[in-house]
Amino acid sequence: MAASPEFLNVFKGRDSLAQYLDPDLSPPLPLVEIPNSLNPLRGDGVRIFAKMLTALPAQNVKSLPALAMLRSEPNAHQQTIVEASSGSTVLSLAILARALWGHDDVHAYVTNKKHPDSLRLMKFFGLKTVLFGGLAQQEPSDPRGVMARLRKMANTDPGVCYPGQYGNDENWKAHERWTGAQIWRQLPEVNVFCATVGTGGCVTGTGAYLKAMKPSVRTIGVCSIRGDPIPGPRYFSGFETSPFPWQENIDVFQDVCSADAFRASMQLSRHGLICGPSSGQALCGVIAHLQAAKAAGNLAEYADPATNEINAVFVCADLPYQYMDLYFNKIPKEELPPTFNENLLSCDLDPYDERNCLTLEQVFKLDGGALKLQPCAMPSSCCCNNKDRHHQQHQRQYAPPPSPPPSSSGGESPHFPHTPDAPTSLPLPTPPDLLPISLPLTTDINSSENGDSYNCNHDVNTSTATTTRIIDIRPQEAYTRSHMHNAWNIPLTPEPQDLFGDAQAVEARWREMRDVIEGPLWPTSLARVEEGEGGRGRGTKVLVLCGNGDSSRMMVAMLRARGVEAFSVEGGYEAWE
């Protein structure tokens, strides 16, 4: 039953998938004239049309012969289906076998030189992959090749079905039945047909139908240049032994280099005709052949006598996505659009997880609600941050060189002064493990810098020991003005108002944080939480505070990537102010 013009493309019932994959029950695939910008011969009366076999349900040209071959095998539904394929044929076999019969025992015999992305694609579609070594593109007639082994396997094992796309007449007859017939219905004024030569089924079968309807149609088979392959098409020297009736249906062969094929495919895709490299190769082939005819003064011989126009059709066979690495290897960088802010490809790559950015309500639930988050009552003279006292003791022991003073603005980090270059830390010796930030809290908090005792007046349960440590990365001036009780200050440079709107600022911030985390001032108990002395550090959480929350998000991502259970606060320290 052929689809009527009013067919609505709706498939229902138990056989909905089988109907959907049946070309006889679908409208003709699109036939689209390419824009003049891609047709250098438009001024010579040449019109070029793309036959979008990529619009098939399996999105590649091979699904038509795959369907015909499976239908011709009466026991395929209960056999192991094996095929030597570079991708499209065996993918189509797997999709169709599952849709027709719920059958999923399909094995792809693939070269071990296949790109990993293509191998993953086969696994995605449920294929069992069997790799073979040696020559990647083997000849079907090679008695020691993979196809000869598969033929022998199918002949000796009744549980194996080998469709054998290179020698199965159902391959080219599928294109005679469907592709050729559709093109004739859509464009009876066709003069030239062009397709790449892989198995040769498409160009042979389509050519056979068009020539039967209009003997003057010229058929062009496009091959790869030896030593310059692209996925799918073959060299002519490997195609000569094909058992298909190609001699009477292919008028001429045209070689096209891989770089031109990839470039043409990219241009077609950018214009909305999304297709892979073999499609670009077919377009280049038809243009090259007609340009040669023009140069020889023979172009008029191809024209329709009634219109004096030349209507050429080429096949878009598959999609480009699985070949991206090849595109970027074949096409010069200058022909591709630039990437701005490329510096971000080498920094700030740790994933941000919104679950690690807590609201104030969530923060107060840390440690089961035992963490007491209150502003320090004496921020300018308290001992919440024991760094100074610790360093004085450390300097007496190791006598390190003195640190440079903070800038007069009070905004720069004394350890990482802001410069146009990436911030770097001074060569301070690594201190011993710092005192835990979240000690069992008491109302008498150490002593001030001048030795006087004071009381922070925090209403704290003295028997409660929390396991969350607070790292405050705001500049010293901001920390001295106001901070959370018991927060450890590791001052960074001032936080930009719109950090992530400036790629250079992001990189500078990331480098500064990396140097801090990996440098001598970072608490060693947080750097080695799994090795905490006496279990101290196991399960330790880190709460990072910055001004507005942006920098703390970045640091949390970096700490998480290093195995530290870290959190930031939505809105940063400003959320408390």
Side-chain angles (χ1 to χ4, degrees):
M1 176 180 72
S4 69
E6 295 80 24
F7 192 69
L8 297 178
N9 245 6
V10 177
F11 306 93
K12 299 179 180 179
R14 295 180 59 185
D15 296 330
S16 59
L17 288 177
Q19 295 174 32
Y20 169 58
L21 292 162
D22 187 344
D24 288 329
L25 302 181
S26 297
L29 299 170
L31 186 68
V32 186
E33 184 171 6
I34 68 172
N36 292 347
S37 59
L38 300 180
N39 179 5
L41 294 168
R42 186 65 188 92
D44 299 294
V46 176
R47 306 181 72 174
I48 302 177
F49 296 80
K51 180 60 175 175
M52 302 302 295
L53 295 185
T54 53
L56 286 162
Q59 299 183 328
N60 70 77
V61 65
K62 299 295 188 178
S63 61
L64 297 178
L67 177 61
M69 290 189 296
L70 287 179
R71 283 178 171 177
S72 70
E73 297 284 349
N75 298 316
H77 64 285
Q78 56 187 6
Q79 294 174 300
T80 295
I81 301 171
V82 300
E83 185 63 73
S85 168
S86 62
S88 293
T89 299
V90 77
L91 287 176
S92 295
L93 287 171
I95 292 169
L96 287 159
R98 189 174 284 105
L100 293 175
W101 311 307
H103 185 52
D104 60 1
D105 191 14
V106 182
H107 294 238
Y109 283 73
V110 188
T111 171
N112 63 340
K113 298 157 186 68
K114 194 72 173 170
H115 192 280
D117 285 348
S118 295
L119 294 176
R120 284 192 287 267
L121 187 67
M122 292 184 183
K123 289 181 179 295
F124 175 84
F125 280 102
L127 284 157
K128 301 173 180 69
T129 50
V130 183
L131 302 179
F132 62 82
L135 192 66
Q137 196 173 55
Q138 299 188 4
E139 298 305 327
S141 58
D142 184 350
R144 296 182 299 174
V146 63
M147 284 165 261
R149 292 195 294 274
L150 293 179
R151 282 194 295 271
K152 182 178 179 181
M153 184 190 303
N155 290 335
T156 57
D157 186 346
V160 173
C161 171
Y162 172 49
Q165 60 173 328
Y166 286 91
N168 192 325
D169 282 338
E170 295 297 331
N171 181 342
W172 68 269
K173 288 181 178 179
H175 290 288
E176 181 181 40
R177 174 180 177 179
W178 287 310
T179 309
Q182 280 192 15
I183 291 173
W184 179 251
R185 286 169 56 200
Q186 293 170 311
L187 193 72
E189 60 269 32
V190 59
N191 309 111
V192 178
F193 174 73
C194 180
T196 54
V197 177
T199 63
C202 181
V203 66
T204 299
T206 307
Y209 187 94
L210 294 177
K211 283 179 173 295
M213 303 303 294
K214 187 176 182 179
S216 63
V217 171
R218 306 284 184 94
T219 305
I220 305 168
V222 182
C223 299
S224 295
I225 296 174
R226 197 162 191 83
D228 185 26
I230 71 168
R234 298 161 70 190
Y235 316 122
F236 174 69
S237 58
F239 177 67
E240 290 175 291
T241 59
S242 171
F244 298 162
W246 60 269
Q247 291 92 339
E248 55 265 41
N249 291 303
I250 302 177
D251 296 300
V252 64
F253 289 87
Q254 178 73 48
D255 289 342
V256 172
C257 73
S258 63
D260 288 345
F262 279 92
R263 184 180 293 108
S265 161
M266 182 179 70
Q267 292 300 330
L268 285 165
S269 296
R270 288 179 176 182
H271 283 79
L273 299 172
I274 301 173
C275 58
S278 64
S279 312
Q281 191 178 41
L283 174 59
C284 290
V286 70
I287 290 174
H289 180 74
L290 293 178
Q291 284 179 326
K294 177 183 176 181
N298 300 325
L299 190 60
E301 296 177 8
Y302 293 79
D304 187 287
T307 64
N308 289 325
E309 287 189 329
I310 300 169
N311 294 282
V313 176
F314 73 98
V315 167
C316 286
D318 67 352
L319 297 173
Y321 305 113
Q322 62 177 308
Y323 308 117
M324 280 298 120
D325 278 358
L326 289 174
Y327 280 94
F328 284 85
N329 286 334
K330 296 289 185 179
I331 299 174
K333 185 177 180 180
E334 308 80 62
E335 297 183 30
L336 299 166
T339 297
F340 300 99
N341 300 333
E342 275 194 306
N343 65 305
L344 295 183
L345 295 176
S346 59
C347 67
D348 190 32
L349 299 180
D350 298 317
Y352 287 40
D353 189 331
E354 290 299 319
R355 293 172 296 180
N356 301 328
C357 183
L358 307 181
T359 63
L360 288 181
E361 181 181 2
Q362 291 171 320
V363 169
F364 283 105
K365 292 180 181 179
L366 288 174
D367 299 334
L371 180 63
K372 302 301 179 181
L373 285 168
Q374 299 181 29
C376 181
M378 302 180 66
S380 63
S381 58
C382 72
C383 290
C384 291
N385 187 355
N386 293 279
K387 171 168 58 64
D388 293 335
R389 180 165 56 84
H390 169 80
H391 278 182
Q392 290 171 8
Q393 178 182 1
H394 195 316
Q395 287 172 350
R396 286 195 296 269
Q397 184 176 358
Y398 296 100
S403 300
S407 68
S408 58
S409 67
E412 292 189 351
S413 165
H415 314 297
F416 306 98
H418 180 70
T419 65
D421 299 323
T424 57
S425 62
L426 295 173
L428 295 174
T430 302
D433 196 6
L434 300 179
L435 295 175
I437 294 171
S438 295
L439 291 169
L441 303 181
T442 66
T443 54
D444 185 17
I445 309 296
N446 295 311
S447 59
S448 63
E449 292 181 352
N450 60 13
D452 296 330
S453 176
Y454 67 88
N455 191 320
C456 277
N457 295 320
H458 295 304
D459 182 15
V460 176
N461 183 345
T462 59
S463 65
T464 301
T466 62
T467 59
T468 298
R469 294 169 177 171
I470 307 171
I471 297 289
D472 189 327
I473 59 175
R474 294 175 301 145
Q476 285 180 336
E477 181 184 60
Y479 176 84
T480 302
R481 187 167 57 245
S482 173
H483 60 261
M484 301 308 292
H485 170 65
N486 236 18
W488 189 275
N489 184 220
I490 299 182
L492 302 184
T493 53
E495 186 170 37
Q497 190 63 33
D498 182 15
L499 172 62
F500 297 110
D502 183 342
Q504 298 303 319
V506 169
E507 181 181 5
R509 197 58 154 183
W510 176 83
R511 292 184 181 278
E512 184 179 16
M513 288 184 180
R514 180 198 60 185
D515 291 345
V516 163
I517 294 172
E518 298 175 358
L521 296 181
W522 189 255
T524 55
S525 63
L526 300 185
R528 301 192 304 273
V529 293
E530 74 283 4
E531 302 173 3
E533 180 183 349
R536 192 184 73 191
R538 294 184 187 276
T540 298
K541 301 179 183 68
V542 177
L543 184 66
V544 183
L545 293 178
C546 68
N548 61 21
D550 287 346
S551 293
S552 57
R553 283 175 184 261
M554 181 185 292
M555 180 170 278
V556 164
M558 298 171 73
L559 292 174
R560 287 270 175 173
R562 289 163 170 80
V564 179
E565 188 178 4
F567 300 93
S568 63
V569 179
E570 190 175 302
Y573 191 80
E574 295 174 2
W576 273 288
E577 292 183 329

